Amino acid sequence: MFKKNAGSIDRILRIVAGLALIGWYAFAGGPIWALIGIVPLVTGLIGSCPAYSLLGIKTCKLKQ
């Protein structure tokens, strides 16, 4: 469906950041904007970032 354009380290950082923001909101009473963590979490899980596609960036080493 989407071409992979995020490398392993990029994906891990996105997932960790997304979970941290969502966890902050859910467990520590963080602000509503912390739910923006859904975006890096999803892009990290699928390995594709729409902004990278628009800008022509690719951190993935695989050629697809």
Side-chain angles (χ1 to χ4, degrees):
M1 187 168 156
F2 295 103
K3 287 187 176 183
K4 301 249 186 228
N5 60 9
S8 299
I9 295 173
D10 190 1
R11 292 178 70 185
I12 291 168
L13 291 174
R14 287 171 181 270
I15 292 169
V16 169
L19 288 174
L21 285 168
I22 294 168
W24 179 32
Y25 173 76
F27 302 113
I32 190 76
W33 62 261
L35 290 177
I36 196 72
I38 294 169
V39 175
L41 178 62
V42 171
T43 59
L45 291 173
I46 64 173
S48 180
C49 177
Y52 279 8
S53 296
L54 290 173
L55 298 171
I57 299 171
K58 190 172 188 179
T59 60
C60 183
K61 293 181 181 180
L62 298 175
K63 295 182 180 179
Q64 294 181 349

